[in-house]
Short mmCIF file of all heavy atoms in Angstrom, two decimals:
data_model
loop_
_atom_site.label_atom_id
_atom_site.label_comp_id
_atom_site.label_asym_id
_atom_site.label_seq_id
_atom_site.Cartn_x
_atom_site.Cartn_y
_atom_site.Cartn_z
N TRP X 25 198.77 -13.44 -94.15
CA TRP X 25 198.04 -13.26 -95.42
C TRP X 25 196.52 -13.21 -95.23
O TRP X 25 195.81 -12.77 -96.13
CB TRP X 25 198.39 -14.38 -96.40
CG TRP X 25 199.73 -14.14 -97.09
CD1 TRP X 25 200.97 -14.54 -96.62
CD2 TRP X 25 199.93 -13.47 -98.33
NE1 TRP X 25 201.93 -14.15 -97.51
CE2 TRP X 25 201.35 -13.51 -98.58
CE3 TRP X 25 199.11 -12.88 -99.28
CZ2 TRP X 25 201.91 -12.95 -99.71
CZ3 TRP X 25 199.68 -12.33 -100.40
CH2 TRP X 25 201.08 -12.35 -100.58
N GLN X 26 196.06 -13.71 -94.10
CA GLN X 26 194.59 -13.73 -93.88
C GLN X 26 194.09 -12.35 -93.44
O GLN X 26 194.60 -11.78 -92.45
CB GLN X 26 194.24 -14.78 -92.81
CG GLN X 26 192.75 -14.94 -92.64
CD GLN X 26 192.42 -15.98 -91.55
OE1 GLN X 26 193.04 -16.01 -90.48
NE2 GLN X 26 191.44 -16.87 -91.85
N PRO X 27 193.10 -11.81 -94.14
CA PRO X 27 192.58 -10.51 -93.71
C PRO X 27 191.98 -10.59 -92.31
O PRO X 27 191.45 -11.61 -91.89
CB PRO X 27 191.49 -10.26 -94.77
CG PRO X 27 191.81 -11.09 -95.94
CD PRO X 27 192.49 -12.31 -95.34
N ASP X 28 192.11 -9.49 -91.60
CA ASP X 28 191.46 -9.41 -90.24
C ASP X 28 189.97 -9.59 -90.40
O ASP X 28 189.37 -9.22 -91.41
CB ASP X 28 191.80 -8.08 -89.62
CG ASP X 28 193.21 -7.98 -89.09
OD1 ASP X 28 193.82 -9.03 -88.92
OD2 ASP X 28 193.69 -6.85 -88.97
N TRP X 29 189.38 -10.08 -89.35
CA TRP X 29 187.89 -10.27 -89.25
C TRP X 29 187.38 -11.14 -90.41
O TRP X 29 186.26 -10.96 -90.89
CB TRP X 29 187.19 -8.90 -89.28
CG TRP X 29 187.75 -7.97 -88.25
CD1 TRP X 29 187.81 -8.14 -86.88
CD2 TRP X 29 188.33 -6.70 -88.53
NE1 TRP X 29 188.40 -7.06 -86.29
CE2 TRP X 29 188.75 -6.18 -87.24
CE3 TRP X 29 188.58 -5.96 -89.68
CZ2 TRP X 29 189.36 -4.92 -87.14
CZ3 TRP X 29 189.18 -4.72 -89.55
CH2 TRP X 29 189.60 -4.23 -88.30
N SER X 30 188.16 -12.12 -90.85
CA SER X 30 187.69 -13.00 -91.90
C SER X 30 186.51 -13.84 -91.45
O SER X 30 185.67 -14.20 -92.27
CB SER X 30 188.85 -13.96 -92.29
OG SER X 30 189.79 -13.35 -93.11
N ILE X 31 186.44 -14.18 -90.16
CA ILE X 31 185.38 -15.08 -89.64
C ILE X 31 184.36 -14.27 -88.93
O ILE X 31 184.58 -13.70 -87.90
CB ILE X 31 185.98 -16.14 -88.74
CG1 ILE X 31 187.31 -16.67 -89.20
CG2 ILE X 31 184.97 -17.28 -88.57
CD1 ILE X 31 187.33 -17.20 -90.59
N SER X 32 183.12 -14.27 -89.48
CA SER X 32 182.07 -13.41 -88.91
C SER X 32 181.67 -13.95 -87.55
O SER X 32 181.89 -15.11 -87.18
CB SER X 32 180.85 -13.45 -89.81
OG SER X 32 180.20 -14.68 -89.83
N ALA X 33 181.01 -13.09 -86.73
CA ALA X 33 180.54 -13.49 -85.43
C ALA X 33 179.54 -14.60 -85.51
O ALA X 33 179.59 -15.57 -84.75
CB ALA X 33 179.94 -12.27 -84.69
N PRO X 34 178.53 -14.56 -86.45
CA PRO X 34 177.62 -15.70 -86.55
C PRO X 34 178.30 -17.04 -86.88
O PRO X 34 177.97 -18.08 -86.35
CB PRO X 34 176.66 -15.29 -87.68
CG PRO X 34 176.70 -13.78 -87.67
CD PRO X 34 178.12 -13.44 -87.35
N ALA X 35 179.34 -16.97 -87.76
CA ALA X 35 180.03 -18.18 -88.10
C ALA X 35 180.79 -18.73 -86.88
O ALA X 35 180.78 -19.94 -86.61
CB ALA X 35 181.02 -17.92 -89.24
N GLN X 36 181.51 -17.86 -86.15
CA GLN X 36 182.19 -18.31 -84.98
C GLN X 36 181.25 -18.93 -83.93
O GLN X 36 181.52 -19.98 -83.36
CB GLN X 36 182.96 -17.15 -84.33
CG GLN X 36 184.16 -16.71 -85.15
CD GLN X 36 184.97 -15.63 -84.45
OE1 GLN X 36 185.29 -15.74 -83.28
NE2 GLN X 36 185.35 -14.58 -85.21
N ASN X 37 180.13 -18.28 -83.73
CA ASN X 37 179.12 -18.79 -82.81
C ASN X 37 178.59 -20.17 -83.24
O ASN X 37 178.40 -21.05 -82.42
CB ASN X 37 177.94 -17.83 -82.67
CG ASN X 37 178.19 -16.69 -81.69
OD1 ASN X 37 179.37 -16.43 -81.33
ND2 ASN X 37 177.18 -15.99 -81.28
N ALA X 38 178.41 -20.34 -84.54
CA ALA X 38 177.91 -21.59 -85.04
C ALA X 38 178.91 -22.72 -84.80
O ALA X 38 178.55 -23.83 -84.43
CB ALA X 38 177.58 -21.49 -86.51
N GLY X 39 180.22 -22.41 -85.04
CA GLY X 39 181.26 -23.41 -84.81
C GLY X 39 181.36 -23.80 -83.36
O GLY X 39 181.44 -24.98 -83.00
N ILE X 40 181.29 -22.83 -82.44
CA ILE X 40 181.34 -23.06 -81.01
C ILE X 40 180.17 -23.93 -80.58
O ILE X 40 180.33 -24.92 -79.86
CB ILE X 40 181.41 -21.75 -80.22
CG1 ILE X 40 182.71 -21.01 -80.50
CG2 ILE X 40 181.18 -21.98 -78.73
CD1 ILE X 40 182.67 -19.55 -80.13
N ALA X 41 178.98 -23.53 -81.01
CA ALA X 41 177.80 -24.31 -80.66
C ALA X 41 177.79 -25.71 -81.26
O ALA X 41 177.27 -26.67 -80.69
CB ALA X 41 176.52 -23.53 -81.10
N GLY X 42 178.32 -25.82 -82.49
CA GLY X 42 178.41 -27.14 -83.15
C GLY X 42 179.28 -28.10 -82.33
O GLY X 42 178.90 -29.23 -82.14
N PHE X 43 180.42 -27.64 -81.87
CA PHE X 43 181.28 -28.51 -81.06
C PHE X 43 180.63 -28.80 -79.70
O PHE X 43 180.85 -29.88 -79.14
CB PHE X 43 182.68 -27.89 -80.87
CG PHE X 43 183.61 -28.22 -82.01
CD1 PHE X 43 183.88 -27.28 -83.01
CD2 PHE X 43 184.21 -29.46 -82.08
CE1 PHE X 43 184.73 -27.60 -84.06
CE2 PHE X 43 185.09 -29.77 -83.13
CZ PHE X 43 185.32 -28.86 -84.12
N ALA X 44 179.81 -27.94 -79.23
CA ALA X 44 179.11 -28.16 -77.95
C ALA X 44 178.08 -29.28 -78.14
O ALA X 44 177.72 -29.96 -77.18
CB ALA X 44 178.40 -26.89 -77.46
N ARG X 45 177.59 -29.52 -79.40
CA ARG X 45 176.66 -30.56 -79.68
C ARG X 45 177.31 -31.67 -80.53
O ARG X 45 176.68 -32.27 -81.40
CB ARG X 45 175.46 -30.04 -80.45
CG ARG X 45 174.51 -29.17 -79.61
CD ARG X 45 173.87 -29.91 -78.43
NE ARG X 45 173.39 -31.26 -78.79
CZ ARG X 45 172.18 -31.47 -79.29
NH1 ARG X 45 171.37 -30.48 -79.50
NH2 ARG X 45 171.84 -32.71 -79.61
N ILE X 46 178.62 -31.89 -80.27
CA ILE X 46 179.38 -32.82 -81.14
C ILE X 46 178.82 -34.22 -81.09
O ILE X 46 178.90 -34.95 -82.09
CB ILE X 46 180.88 -32.79 -80.73
CG1 ILE X 46 181.75 -33.43 -81.86
CG2 ILE X 46 181.09 -33.52 -79.42
CD1 ILE X 46 181.78 -32.63 -83.14
N ASP X 47 178.23 -34.63 -79.98
CA ASP X 47 177.62 -35.98 -79.92
C ASP X 47 176.50 -36.11 -80.92
O ASP X 47 176.33 -37.15 -81.55
CB ASP X 47 177.13 -36.29 -78.49
CG ASP X 47 178.28 -36.53 -77.54
OD1 ASP X 47 179.40 -36.80 -78.02
OD2 ASP X 47 178.05 -36.50 -76.34
N TYR X 48 175.69 -35.04 -81.05
CA TYR X 48 174.60 -35.05 -82.02
C TYR X 48 175.18 -35.24 -83.45
O TYR X 48 174.66 -36.03 -84.25
CB TYR X 48 173.78 -33.77 -81.95
CG TYR X 48 172.84 -33.55 -83.13
CD1 TYR X 48 171.58 -34.07 -83.08
CD2 TYR X 48 173.26 -32.85 -84.26
CE1 TYR X 48 170.69 -33.91 -84.14
CE2 TYR X 48 172.41 -32.67 -85.37
CZ TYR X 48 171.12 -33.19 -85.28
OH TYR X 48 170.27 -33.02 -86.35
N PHE X 49 176.23 -34.46 -83.76
CA PHE X 49 176.75 -34.52 -85.11
C PHE X 49 177.49 -35.85 -85.38
O PHE X 49 177.42 -36.36 -86.50
CB PHE X 49 177.67 -33.35 -85.32
CG PHE X 49 176.95 -32.04 -85.52
CD1 PHE X 49 176.91 -31.10 -84.51
CD2 PHE X 49 176.29 -31.76 -86.70
CE1 PHE X 49 176.19 -29.93 -84.63
CE2 PHE X 49 175.57 -30.61 -86.85
CZ PHE X 49 175.53 -29.64 -85.83
N LYS X 50 178.17 -36.38 -84.35
CA LYS X 50 178.77 -37.72 -84.57
C LYS X 50 177.71 -38.75 -84.93
O LYS X 50 177.95 -39.60 -85.81
CB LYS X 50 179.55 -38.12 -83.32
CG LYS X 50 180.86 -37.43 -83.10
CD LYS X 50 181.56 -37.94 -81.84
CE LYS X 50 182.90 -37.30 -81.63
NZ LYS X 50 183.61 -37.76 -80.43
N GLU X 51 176.59 -38.69 -84.23
CA GLU X 51 175.51 -39.62 -84.53
C GLU X 51 174.95 -39.36 -85.93
O GLU X 51 174.60 -40.27 -86.68
CB GLU X 51 174.41 -39.52 -83.51
CG GLU X 51 173.16 -40.38 -83.74
CD GLU X 51 173.50 -41.86 -83.67
OE1 GLU X 51 174.59 -42.27 -83.20
OE2 GLU X 51 172.62 -42.66 -84.08
N SER X 52 174.86 -38.07 -86.27
CA SER X 52 174.42 -37.72 -87.62
C SER X 52 175.36 -38.27 -88.72
O SER X 52 174.91 -38.75 -89.74
CB SER X 52 174.31 -36.19 -87.74
OG SER X 52 173.99 -35.78 -89.05
N TRP X 53 176.65 -38.13 -88.48
CA TRP X 53 177.63 -38.64 -89.47
C TRP X 53 177.48 -40.18 -89.59
O TRP X 53 177.56 -40.72 -90.68
CB TRP X 53 179.02 -38.28 -89.07
CG TRP X 53 179.24 -36.78 -88.85
CD1 TRP X 53 178.51 -35.76 -89.48
CD2 TRP X 53 180.19 -36.16 -88.06
NE1 TRP X 53 179.00 -34.58 -89.07
CE2 TRP X 53 180.01 -34.79 -88.16
CE3 TRP X 53 181.20 -36.62 -87.19
CZ2 TRP X 53 180.79 -33.84 -87.48
CZ3 TRP X 53 181.98 -35.70 -86.50
CH2 TRP X 53 181.78 -34.32 -86.62
N ARG X 54 177.29 -40.85 -88.43
CA ARG X 54 177.15 -42.31 -88.45
C ARG X 54 175.92 -42.70 -89.26
O ARG X 54 175.95 -43.60 -90.06
CB ARG X 54 177.06 -42.83 -87.03
CG ARG X 54 177.08 -44.35 -86.93
CD ARG X 54 176.67 -44.83 -85.53
NE ARG X 54 175.28 -44.47 -85.22
CZ ARG X 54 174.22 -45.10 -85.71
NH1 ARG X 54 174.36 -46.13 -86.54
NH2 ARG X 54 173.04 -44.73 -85.35
N LYS X 55 174.80 -41.99 -89.05
CA LYS X 55 173.55 -42.27 -89.78
C LYS X 55 173.71 -42.01 -91.26
O LYS X 55 173.17 -42.71 -92.10
CB LYS X 55 172.40 -41.46 -89.20
CG LYS X 55 171.95 -41.93 -87.84
CD LYS X 55 170.64 -41.24 -87.43
CE LYS X 55 170.78 -39.76 -87.29
NZ LYS X 55 169.55 -39.09 -86.79
N THR X 56 174.48 -40.99 -91.59
CA THR X 56 174.71 -40.69 -93.00
C THR X 56 175.51 -41.78 -93.67
O THR X 56 175.20 -42.16 -94.84
CB THR X 56 175.50 -39.35 -93.16
OG1 THR X 56 174.76 -38.28 -92.58
CG2 THR X 56 175.78 -39.04 -94.62
N VAL X 57 176.46 -42.42 -92.98
CA VAL X 57 177.18 -43.57 -93.49
C VAL X 57 176.20 -44.72 -93.75
O VAL X 57 176.27 -45.38 -94.81
CB VAL X 57 178.27 -44.04 -92.52
CG1 VAL X 57 178.88 -45.36 -92.94
CG2 VAL X 57 179.36 -42.93 -92.42
N GLU X 58 175.26 -44.94 -92.84
CA GLU X 58 174.24 -45.99 -93.01
C GLU X 58 173.39 -45.69 -94.23
O GLU X 58 173.10 -46.58 -95.06
CB GLU X 58 173.39 -46.12 -91.78
CG GLU X 58 174.11 -46.70 -90.59
CD GLU X 58 173.20 -46.86 -89.38
OE1 GLU X 58 172.00 -46.39 -89.44
OE2 GLU X 58 173.64 -47.43 -88.38
N ARG X 59 172.92 -44.45 -94.37
CA ARG X 59 172.13 -44.04 -95.51
C ARG X 59 172.88 -44.22 -96.81
O ARG X 59 172.35 -44.61 -97.82
CB ARG X 59 171.68 -42.58 -95.39
CG ARG X 59 170.61 -42.33 -94.32
CD ARG X 59 170.08 -40.91 -94.55
NE ARG X 59 169.54 -40.43 -93.34
CZ ARG X 59 170.04 -39.36 -92.64
NH1 ARG X 59 171.10 -38.74 -93.12
NH2 ARG X 59 169.52 -38.95 -91.49
N ARG X 60 174.19 -43.89 -96.73
CA ARG X 60 175.01 -44.05 -97.93
C ARG X 60 175.00 -45.49 -98.44
O ARG X 60 174.87 -45.71 -99.62
CB ARG X 60 176.46 -43.65 -97.59
CG ARG X 60 177.46 -43.80 -98.77
CD ARG X 60 178.85 -43.47 -98.32
NE ARG X 60 179.41 -44.52 -97.44
CZ ARG X 60 180.38 -44.29 -96.54
NH1 ARG X 60 180.86 -43.07 -96.38
NH2 ARG X 60 180.83 -45.29 -95.82
N GLU X 61 175.15 -46.45 -97.53
CA GLU X 61 175.12 -47.84 -97.94
C GLU X 61 173.81 -48.24 -98.56
O GLU X 61 173.75 -48.95 -99.58
CB GLU X 61 175.46 -48.74 -96.73
CG GLU X 61 176.83 -48.43 -96.10
CD GLU X 61 177.96 -48.40 -97.08
OE1 GLU X 61 178.20 -49.44 -97.69
OE2 GLU X 61 178.57 -47.35 -97.26
N ASP X 62 172.70 -47.82 -97.92
CA ASP X 62 171.37 -48.15 -98.47
C ASP X 62 171.17 -47.50 -99.82
O ASP X 62 170.61 -48.08 -100.75
CB ASP X 62 170.31 -47.66 -97.50
CG ASP X 62 170.27 -48.45 -96.21
OD1 ASP X 62 170.80 -49.59 -96.19
OD2 ASP X 62 169.71 -47.94 -95.20
N PHE X 63 171.66 -46.26 -99.93
CA PHE X 63 171.52 -45.48 -101.19
C PHE X 63 172.30 -46.16 -102.30
O PHE X 63 171.81 -46.30 -103.41
CB PHE X 63 172.01 -44.08 -100.94
CG PHE X 63 171.53 -43.04 -101.91
CD1 PHE X 63 170.42 -43.24 -102.71
CD2 PHE X 63 172.25 -41.82 -102.03
CE1 PHE X 63 170.00 -42.26 -103.58
CE2 PHE X 63 171.83 -40.88 -102.94
CZ PHE X 63 170.68 -41.09 -103.71
N ARG X 64 173.53 -46.56 -101.98
CA ARG X 64 174.38 -47.28 -103.01
C ARG X 64 173.68 -48.51 -103.47
O ARG X 64 173.59 -48.81 -104.67
CB ARG X 64 175.71 -47.63 -102.35
CG ARG X 64 176.62 -48.42 -103.32
CD ARG X 64 177.70 -49.18 -102.56
NE ARG X 64 177.07 -50.13 -101.65
CZ ARG X 64 177.68 -50.57 -100.56
NH1 ARG X 64 178.88 -50.23 -100.22
NH2 ARG X 64 177.07 -51.45 -99.75
N ASP X 65 173.11 -49.33 -102.56
CA ASP X 65 172.43 -50.57 -102.93
C ASP X 65 171.25 -50.27 -103.82
O ASP X 65 171.00 -51.00 -104.80
CB ASP X 65 171.98 -51.34 -101.68
CG ASP X 65 173.16 -51.86 -100.89
OD1 ASP X 65 174.26 -51.94 -101.40
OD2 ASP X 65 172.96 -52.22 -99.71
N ALA X 66 170.53 -49.18 -103.53
CA ALA X 66 169.36 -48.83 -104.36
C ALA X 66 169.82 -48.41 -105.77
O ALA X 66 169.15 -48.74 -106.76
CB ALA X 66 168.52 -47.74 -103.69
N LEU X 67 170.88 -47.65 -105.86
CA LEU X 67 171.43 -47.26 -107.18
C LEU X 67 171.88 -48.40 -107.95
O LEU X 67 171.62 -48.53 -109.17
CB LEU X 67 172.56 -46.25 -106.94
CG LEU X 67 172.21 -44.86 -106.40
CD1 LEU X 67 173.47 -44.11 -105.99
CD2 LEU X 67 171.46 -44.07 -107.43
N LEU X 68 172.58 -49.35 -107.30
CA LEU X 68 173.03 -50.57 -107.99
C LEU X 68 171.85 -51.40 -108.47
O LEU X 68 171.94 -52.03 -109.54
CB LEU X 68 173.90 -51.38 -107.04
CG LEU X 68 175.31 -50.79 -106.68
CD1 LEU X 68 175.98 -51.60 -105.59
CD2 LEU X 68 176.18 -50.75 -107.97
#
């Protein structure tokens, strides 16, 4: 059911490069969790 060429070349390249820098993104996700807790406390 998926049309051919659904995923553009720039998108595929971005995904490949993103996984190549997965350590950066894991750290980013961890920092976002920390920011979330600080943000929640400030809202409360």
Side-chain angles (χ1 to χ4, degrees):
W25 282 86
Q26 186 180 42
D28 287 339
W29 309 300
S30 283
I31 320 303
S32 71
Q36 290 186 46
N37 278 15
I40 293 164
F43 274 102
R45 288 300 314 274
I46 197 65
D47 288 343
Y48 168 87
F49 286 104
K50 284 182 177 179
E51 177 64 13
S52 172
W53 304 333
R54 187 193 63 77
K55 289 190 296 184
T56 300
V57 171
E58 291 182 353
R59 287 193 206 114
R60 179 185 71 206
E61 302 308 298
D62 293 339
F63 199 21
R64 178 201 59 203
D65 291 345
L67 291 167
L68 290 171

